[in-house]
Amino acid sequence: MASAVSTAASSPTPDPFTQSFSLLLSNGTPVKISVPDLNAFILYNVQICINYSSQLGASLLLLVVLLILTRSEKRRSPIFIINALALAINTTRSVLQCLYFTGPYSDVYAYFAQDYSRVTTSAEATSITGSVLTLLLLICVQLSLILQTMIICTTVRDLYRLCIAALSVSVALVAIAFRFALVVENSKFIINAESFSSFAWLGSATNITATISICFYCAVFITKLGFALRERRKLGLQQFGPMQIIFIMGCQTLIIPAIFSILQYFTDIPEMGSNVLTLVAIFLPLSSMWASFSVENSSQASSSPDSHRKFLGSYSSGSTSTGSTSKPPNGTPSPTDTTFTHTSHTALPSPITATARDEEKDLEAQPSKFDMVGRESIKR
């Protein structure tokens, strides 16, 4: 009797935070679920919704500011239309992604039992539409980058310009083709309620090609501007102006989206790669607004060594030309040749911004129903 009591006392107390419980399938078969599994499921959905909510807020804010602060005669330019359309698509895409991760696909029983029989047709349509919108967003981004690359290369020799144009279109088509294939395959798996894990390579290839295309445009952009800035320095023109601004934003566009694209393979944060296209859609109008603002406040270059301070001083003081009221720079995105300048200037190409679900840490738009990250296999 005493030995039995001592044995019971010496046995380890089970950890309540790792205990398991059972769910019953529709046929009465029990399925074991652990508390860590359930926690990972809930945390994943919360993190995803925070990510897409942030993208939603940023895109919607810039879209509203862009529409308000762009003059009516500038709204017909192709750059404005593409940039505004990209922001609108990204806003809608982010809403649909949030609906997906708070809808019937994220029901606890449906996920752990792998029973999606009660998923409605509208929920499937939401999932597929989110995937299609990511394709449309990529197309808008690629078009915007091609247009602005061609604008910045107008002074290049005809042969070089044709080569750059052909290479730009080829790079864009490769990225779009991979995204299109991903959308088609993912939509089939969503409708058939099957796992998408066998196509993880396609999701990764889609992100890689999209990132390479964006970096290519950025490289062309900042290289051309770098040579132009060097020539201006030789002429004694050192003022901090539109060309410097666009060069800075081009470098930013080349580096930041690439970082997000790479980090998704080395972090457990879900949907890190989805920020790449969002960054592109945001940086393009934002950089153009900043450059246009500087054109408005400095009509000619100055060789003064403290010219950058003069620019920043006029920027912070809110001085304007022809009596117009200046707008704060952050939050007034406008397309390449857009803003509220009152004198006519040459179109200023805005830099290239880069901006790719995450079981495979790369399937970016409405992934297949079963691809949730951080889950352990279900013990039956």
Side-chain angles (χ1 to χ4, degrees), residues 85-148:
L85 185 60
L87 289 172
I89 291 175
N90 195 53
T91 300
T92 307
R93 176 191 73 134
S94 300
V95 171
L96 295 180
Q97 294 283 8
C98 291
L99 291 177
Y100 173 87
F101 289 103
T102 56
Y105 283 122
S106 294
D107 182 85
V108 173
Y109 175 80
Y111 172 75
F112 285 102
Q114 297 291 281
D115 184 358
Y116 295 95
S117 57
R118 296 192 181 183
V119 172
T120 61
T121 304
S122 61
E124 291 183 351
T126 298
S127 182
I128 295 174
T129 304
S131 184
V132 173
L133 287 179
T134 303
L135 171 63
L136 298 180
L137 176 60
L138 177 63
I139 293 175
C140 288
V141 166
Q142 297 289 340
L143 286 176
S144 182
L145 297 180
I146 290 175
L147 284 176
Q148 294 178 75

Side-chain angles (χ1 to χ4, degrees), residues 11-341:
S11 61
T13 304
D15 186 356
F17 288 92
T18 59
Q19 62 181 307
S20 300
F21 58 93
S22 296
L23 291 179
L24 294 179
L25 300 180
S26 57
N27 59 4
T29 304
V31 176
K32 274 193 172 184
I33 308 297
S34 68
V35 172
D37 287 338
L38 184 59
N39 286 337
F41 175 79
I42 296 173
L43 180 61
Y44 178 83
N45 288 341
V46 171
Q47 290 176 331
I48 283 263
C49 290
I50 291 174
N51 188 353
Y52 281 112
S53 297
S54 301
Q55 297 179 48
L56 167 62
S59 300
L60 182 60
L61 176 62
L62 283 181
L63 176 60
V64 172
V65 173
L66 179 64
L67 295 177
I68 292 176
L69 298 182
T70 302
R71 296 190 304 176
S72 57
E73 60 268 25
K74 298 290 186 179
R75 294 179 180 176
R76 297 181 180 180
S77 65
I79 295 296
F80 171 81
I81 295 174
I82 293 174
N83 288 343
L85 185 60
L87 289 172
I89 291 175
N90 195 53
T91 300
T92 307
R93 176 191 73 134
S94 300
V95 171
L96 295 180
Q97 294 283 8
C98 291
L99 291 177
Y100 173 87
F101 289 103
T102 56
Y105 283 122
S106 294
D107 182 85
V108 173
Y109 175 80
Y111 172 75
F112 285 102
Q114 297 291 281
D115 184 358
Y116 295 95
S117 57
R118 296 192 181 183
V119 172
T120 61
T121 304
S122 61
E124 291 183 351
T126 298
S127 182
I128 295 174
T129 304
S131 184
V132 173
L133 287 179
T134 303
L135 171 63
L136 298 180
L137 176 60
L138 177 63
I139 293 175
C140 288
V141 166
Q142 297 289 340
L143 286 176
S144 182
L145 297 180
I146 290 175
L147 284 176
Q148 294 178 75
T149 301
M150 292 300 98
I151 291 173
I152 202 65
C153 293
T154 50
T155 58
V156 178
R157 296 179 183 178
D158 291 342
L159 178 60
Y160 294 159
R161 189 169 65 251
L162 289 175
C163 293
I164 293 174
L167 190 56
S168 299
V169 173
S170 300
V171 170
L173 289 177
V174 171
I176 293 172
F178 272 95
R179 173 60 65 176
F180 180 78
L182 178 64
V183 170
V184 172
E185 294 298 328
N186 197 34
S187 299
K188 291 179 180 179
F189 280 94
I190 290 174
I191 294 174
N192 298 327
E194 298 175 351
S195 174
F196 196 72
S197 58
S198 59
F199 279 88
W201 65 270
L202 181 58
S204 182
T206 298
N207 287 326
I208 292 172
T209 53
T211 304
I212 290 176
S213 67
I214 292 169
C215 291
F216 166 78
Y217 297 123
C218 288
V220 172
F221 203 85
I222 64 178
T223 300
K224 180 63 174 67
L225 281 179
F227 281 111
L229 290 175
R230 189 182 66 174
E231 294 301 320
R232 286 170 57 88
R233 278 190 173 276
K234 290 181 179 179
L235 297 175
L237 304 176
Q238 300 180 5
Q239 184 184 24
F240 186 88
M243 294 189 69
Q244 286 87 347
I245 292 171
I246 296 175
F247 182 81
I248 290 172
M249 294 297 290
C251 295
Q252 174 179 298
T253 300
L254 173 64
I255 296 171
I256 295 180
I259 291 175
F260 275 88
S261 182
I262 294 171
L263 280 180
Q264 65 180 326
Y265 296 101
F266 301 97
T267 181
D268 292 332
I269 300 175
E271 295 292 2
M272 179 69 75
S274 68
N275 294 279
V276 173
L277 293 180
T278 297
L279 288 172
V280 178
I282 290 175
F283 282 169
L284 287 174
L286 187 60
S287 58
S288 144
M289 177 276 304
W290 186 14
S292 297
F293 184 87
S294 83
V295 169
E296 179 180 329
N297 285 274
S298 53
S299 57
Q300 62 181 13
S302 167
S303 59
S304 172
D306 62 342
S307 57
H308 64 286
R309 297 185 181 181
K310 294 179 181 179
F311 169 76
L312 294 177
S314 67
Y315 176 84
S316 59
S317 63
S319 61
T320 55
S321 62
T322 64
S324 66
T325 303
S326 71
K327 306 294 188 291
N330 55 347
T332 43
S334 59
T336 303
D337 52 355
T338 312
T339 11
F340 31 85
T341 52

